[in-house]
Amino acid sequence: MHVTYLPMSWKSGDNYCYLLTDEESNQSWLIDPAYPSDILDFLTKKNKTEVASIVNTHHHYDHAGGNGQLLSTLYKSVPVIAGKDCPYVSYTPSDEEVILLGKNVEITALHTPCHTQDSICYYAKDKKTGEKCVFTGDTLFTAGCGRFFEGTAEQMKSSLEKLLSLPEETVTYPGHEYTASDAKFAKTVFGSNNQALNELEEFAKKHEFTTGCFTLKDEKAFNPFVRLTDPFVVRATGKKDPVEAMGKLRAMKDIF
Ligand SMILES: [Zn+2]
């Protein structure tokens, strides 16, 4: 399988659209194409693949806001696979439902409510090559997580645990490029005691686009939101209970 990242609304929303392609059939999923004008050139000129589905990670405008325009122009008979609250949704997969893309890419829908109640992450595995990746929308960011707009700390904790239970070599593709600021916040928690985080901070300084460069194993090392019992997280939040630590961490990040 192949993943192309397409930056959209750059320097304001720093959003990512993704094209996930099964190389054998050349069929693709177009994930979160929120700003069609930013990606039209790629989709019409440089891209020879067949878009089998438009897919959304959640209903927010900066992820699902392009569905209508794309359905009325480029992709008139393409289904929209997305959560229940997304515009123009034609199919909502159930939790852990597996959908085949092309010949070899098996995609598991993982319901991860909290940022929104309709948040779905998509775990893709190539049956032939064994490659694995996950599209995490606004649930998991590199070294961070999304705001709790429609859910609770408990929900975010279990949603992140669900993602972190996937194979640790799984490559992550978040919905936004927030790595530099998330690393900066994580540093206030860990100080300079977390080697993986120090390396991430250096990496983010040198690279404008960090999506697809890290794995779930990396998240386990440097993301405070998945290290709730880490002594540094307990100290920074003053909370020994992991759910309370999650809530406090997010509250601290909200005003960071
Ligand atoms: Zn969102």
Side-chain angles (χ1 to χ4, degrees):
M1 64 185 182
H2 183 73
V3 178
T4 305
Y5 66 84
L6 304 167
M8 301 174 300
S9 189
W10 211 246
K11 299 296 170 208
S12 60
D14 292 335
N15 284 78
Y16 283 119
C17 168
Y18 296 103
L19 192 73
L20 166 67
T21 305
D22 168 61
E23 284 164 311
E24 203 165 320
S25 66
N26 212 17
Q27 291 203 344
S28 293
W29 270 17
L30 185 60
I31 304 172
D32 285 352
Y35 300 92
S37 57
D38 290 2
I39 57 175
L40 223 51
D41 189 50
F42 175 86
L43 293 175
T44 52
K45 290 182 195 153
K46 296 173 196 142
N47 160 46
K48 297 273 182 273
T49 192
E50 184 202 332
V51 170
S53 301
I54 291 170
V55 178
N56 298 136
T57 57
H58 63 295
H59 71 81
H60 284 159
Y61 180 83
D62 59 336
H63 297 263
N67 293 358
Q69 190 186 328
L70 288 170
L71 288 169
S72 63
T73 54
L74 280 185
Y75 307 121
K76 287 198 168 127
S77 54
V78 161
V80 176
I81 297 174
K84 62 181 173 59
D85 299 326
C86 293
Y88 303 94
V89 58
S90 49
Y91 186 71
T92 297
S94 52
D95 190 27
E96 300 195 12
E97 182 172 339
V98 179
I99 302 172
L100 187 68
L101 166 63
K103 290 215 167 79
N104 298 310
V105 182
E106 261 177 7
I107 301 156
T108 308
L110 298 169
H111 288 206
T112 52
C114 180
H115 177 71
T116 65
Q117 284 303 309
D118 77 340
S119 290
I120 300 178
C121 296
Y122 300 94
Y123 169 60
K125 185 181 172 184
D126 190 311
K127 283 193 287 181
K128 211 168 166 185
T129 65
E131 293 163 286
K132 301 169 190 77
C133 68
V134 63
F135 299 89
T136 60
D138 288 359
T139 296
L140 173 71
F141 298 125
T142 306
C145 75
R147 287 176 186 258
F148 306 170
F149 285 123
E150 297 177 10
T152 62
E154 192 158 12
Q155 279 188 319
M156 183 55 88
K157 180 175 170 287
S158 56
S159 289
L160 292 181
E161 280 170 358
K162 199 179 214 174
L163 294 175
L164 271 291
S165 71
L166 295 169
E168 62 178 20
E169 69 271 26
T170 303
V171 173
T172 53
Y173 290 102
H176 293 264
E177 178 59 57
Y178 289 163
T179 305
S181 71
D182 279 324
K184 205 170 164 190
F185 173 72
K187 194 95 179 192
T188 66
V189 174
F190 295 117
S192 29
N193 301 287
N194 183 318
Q195 185 54 31
L197 179 62
N198 298 340
E199 288 167 17
L200 176 69
E201 197 185 28
E202 282 307 304
F203 189 88
K205 274 182 197 160
K206 290 179 192 146
H207 299 85
E208 185 176 16
F209 308 112
T210 67
T211 191
C213 297
F214 298 97
T215 64
L216 292 175
K217 186 179 180 185
D218 296 320
E219 294 302 327
K220 285 177 186 170
F222 56 49
N223 189 329
F225 293 91
V226 304
R227 295 179 62 91
L228 300 171
T229 56
D230 182 305
F232 283 98
V233 175
V234 173
R235 196 168 68 181
T237 59
K239 306 286 183 191
K240 281 202 172 109
D241 176 73
V243 174
E244 287 180 22
M246 172 65 89
K248 186 68 195 290
L249 259 190
R250 187 61 251 183
M252 288 160 63
K253 178 67 168 64
D254 285 348
I255 54 166
F256 180 67

